[in-house]
Amino acid sequence: MSSALFRRFKNYSNLCMRWIALKQRNLRFCFTTNLGEVKPIGFMSSLFCHKRGTPRQPTICPHARGTLTLDHHLVNNPQYMLEGLEEFSHVWLIFVFHKNEKEFVRSKVSPPRLHGRKVGLFSTRSPHRPNPIGLSLAKLDCVHDRTLYLNGVDLLDGTPILDIKPYIPEYDTPQPLFDNLEKIQSERRQSCLDNQIYPENIHKNEKNQIYPENSNIHKNEKKLNPGRKTPCSTLNTKYKNKNVSRESCIEGCLCEEECENTSSKGVSVRTPDWILQPSSPKLKISFTDRAVNQLNMFSQGSHDPDFTLKFLRTSTEAMETIISILSEDPRPVHVRNQEEEAFYYFTVDTMHVTCWFYDGIAEVIRILPISRGKHLI
């Protein structure tokens, strides 16, 4: 074969490969466009009516309650779809950032913890994404008919919910990659389910395995209360099964800490330093006497509808929620760097909160009903 003929054959092959790649791309695009319109299954009802002051993560405000009612016009037999979900303690909520106002998406963004330094969009949880879809973990209190009662939410009121998935630690947490993984998981389940084991009932040889290189435990063992339970995270031997629910084990014991440590050794889970060690500490929160008196007027049983709480139960919970929000400094980075201090306003439940920041302190100076507050966002 001559060199000219070989070059012609090579060019023809390259054109064929490009045509095939383009054809596959067009097929994938056609398939994507034929998926149809994604419709929400319901809309969130929460105590956060405005973006300002809404927690950035679901673990910040434990008293942040909310409800999700499935739309029976969009979902057939919603009460049947929720059957069995009450057996789980937490659920994943897949939602839409419906309040995004920007028409374009930046490739690099500035997370609040980095104080202006930019990183790639997909290394953050910024709401401004090519597809404005979010994922949030919430505690499931109960299920009634077609309504979910949730706790620890970080979603705005009216957020469209696309899907609900149960949180399963065995699948949603990285597992250690050991040859005897099945044996380790079996022993861990046995130890988690058994919450009736006492230190004096464990054989001496087993104690050496459970508490390696820790002589203080053996010295102080006699001082322990015989009726006190041993955390299941310290038990690695096999015991008889007890009738203990998996949810109570997840909520009430230390087995997650053990799973995290073991997983970090087996899977090498890692996160950036700016996630684990933020460059600035949490803010200190103070309330003026006037703000405290105004806060005490709010309750769920108030005779004045303006001071009636919808999601928070007491003024104490309301104060703890305000502290949780402000301690993480909800202000954007560009606002924090402003030289002139200005008042900061946000809403939570039926309260309109006014505060200002100085010297690492956030001081709440006024709390009014939303109907009487100004500078609403």
Side-chain angles (χ1 to χ4, degrees):
M1 181 182 297
S2 63
S3 59
L5 184 61
F6 176 77
R7 284 194 299 269
R8 292 179 60 185
F9 177 76
K10 186 176 181 180
N11 293 336
Y12 176 77
S13 300
N14 292 336
L15 289 175
C16 290
M17 295 298 294
R18 291 180 182 179
W19 183 83
I20 293 174
L22 183 62
K23 191 71 174 179
Q24 291 177 346
R25 179 183 177 184
N26 292 336
L27 287 175
R28 287 195 298 266
F29 179 78
C30 292
F31 174 75
T32 304
T33 56
N34 291 333
L35 289 177
E37 182 182 357
V38 178
K39 299 180 181 179
I41 60 174
F43 296 87
M44 192 72 191
S45 297
S46 75
L47 67 168
F48 303 112
C49 299
H50 303 279
K51 290 191 294 184
R52 181 177 291 190
T54 302
R56 298 188 179 98
Q57 302 297 333
T59 58
I60 294 179
C61 295
H63 297 307
R65 298 182 182 87
T67 59
L68 171 60
T69 301
L70 301 188
D71 191 342
H72 62 277
H73 296 291
L74 299 175
V75 180
N76 293 327
N77 301 319
Q79 64 274 17
Y80 296 143
M81 288 187 173
L82 297 176
E83 189 173 315
L85 188 62
E86 69 278 358
E87 299 180 11
F88 295 89
S89 63
H90 295 75
V91 292
W92 292 108
L93 301 177
I94 302 176
F95 63 95
V96 177
F97 291 103
H98 66 298
K99 289 292 186 177
N100 281 2
E101 299 175 353
K102 296 182 179 179
E103 297 181 356
F104 62 95
V105 177
R106 298 182 182 273
S107 301
K108 302 188 73 173
V109 296
S110 302
R113 288 174 176 249
L114 289 181
H115 298 279
R117 186 166 70 89
K118 293 185 177 182
V119 294
L121 171 67
F122 291 123
S123 64
T124 71
R125 296 188 176 184
S126 170
H128 305 287
R129 319 182 76 82
N131 295 310
I133 299 175
L135 180 67
S136 181
L137 182 66
K139 185 179 183 299
L140 179 62
D141 288 339
C142 64
V143 178
H144 179 68
D145 195 20
R146 56 189 179 98
T147 301
L148 281 70
Y149 293 85
L150 306 167
N151 211 335
V153 300
D154 61 341
L155 304 180
L156 283 171
D157 187 72
T159 297
I161 305 298
L162 302 180
D163 197 9
I164 305 168
K165 298 181 185 295
Y167 171 76
I168 306 175
E170 285 79 1
Y171 305 144
D172 298 340
T173 304
Q175 298 297 323
L177 301 179
F178 298 141
D179 294 336
N180 57 344
L181 175 61
E182 183 177 358
K183 179 181 178 181
I184 293 175
Q185 291 179 340
S186 177
E187 292 179 353
R188 184 180 297 161
R189 279 192 205 95
Q190 292 290 88
S191 62
C192 289
L193 291 176
D194 193 337
N195 66 345
Q196 302 292 333
I197 305 300
Y198 307 108
E200 61 268 25
N201 293 337
I202 303 176
H203 193 270
K204 183 177 181 180
N205 294 334
E206 293 177 345
K207 292 177 187 177
N208 295 332
Q209 299 175 0
I210 296 173
Y211 307 111
E213 301 176 1
N214 195 339
S215 58
N216 294 331
I217 295 179
H218 298 286
K219 293 179 181 179
N220 300 331
E221 179 183 345
K222 296 181 181 180
K223 300 180 181 180
L224 294 175
N225 184 358
R228 184 178 179 181
K229 299 175 184 178
T230 302
C232 62
S233 62
T234 61
L235 301 177
N236 296 323
T237 55
K238 294 183 178 180
Y239 301 102
K240 295 182 179 179
N241 290 335
K242 304 292 181 180
N243 294 326
V244 181
S245 64
R246 177 66 181 170
E247 290 82 353
S248 62
C249 178
I250 295 176
E251 295 294 329
C253 71
L254 304 176
C255 59
E256 288 186 341
E257 180 179 354
E258 179 193 3
C259 296
E260 180 179 356
N261 296 335
T262 306
S263 176
S264 62
K265 296 178 182 179
V267 185
S268 184
V269 177
R270 62 183 182 274
T271 53
D273 293 336
W274 58 271
I275 295 292
L276 300 177
Q277 299 176 353
S279 56
S280 59
K282 291 186 177 182
L283 300 179
K284 297 181 181 179
I285 313 301
S286 64
F287 291 76
T288 62
D289 294 338
R290 177 188 178 188
V292 173
N293 294 332
Q294 292 172 339
L295 180 62
N296 290 331
M297 298 175 63
F298 288 87
S299 67
Q300 283 194 341
S302 176
H303 298 290
D304 190 341
D306 290 341
F307 291 89
T308 302
L309 297 174
K310 295 181 180 180
F311 296 94
L312 300 172
R313 295 172 181 171
T314 62
S315 58
T316 302
E317 282 191 2
M319 176 176 288
E320 292 176 354
T321 301
I322 294 174
I323 292 175
S324 300
I325 294 173
L326 293 178
S327 62
E328 297 289 341
D329 198 345
R331 299 175 299 169
V333 176
H334 69 276
V335 176
R336 299 180 191 177
N337 297 331
Q338 291 180 357
E339 296 182 358
E340 296 183 1
E341 293 291 342
F343 290 124
Y344 184 83
Y345 309 91
F346 68 96
T347 62
V348 54
D349 207 315
T350 57
M351 300 176 294
H352 181 278
V353 183
T354 304
C355 62
W356 70 303
F357 299 82
Y358 64 94
D359 299 333
I361 299 175
E363 184 177 25
V364 180
I365 60 177
R366 188 179 65 179
I367 303 176
L368 296 177
I370 291 182
S371 58
R372 305 179 189 179
K374 298 181 180 180
H375 302 90
L376 289 178
I377 302 87

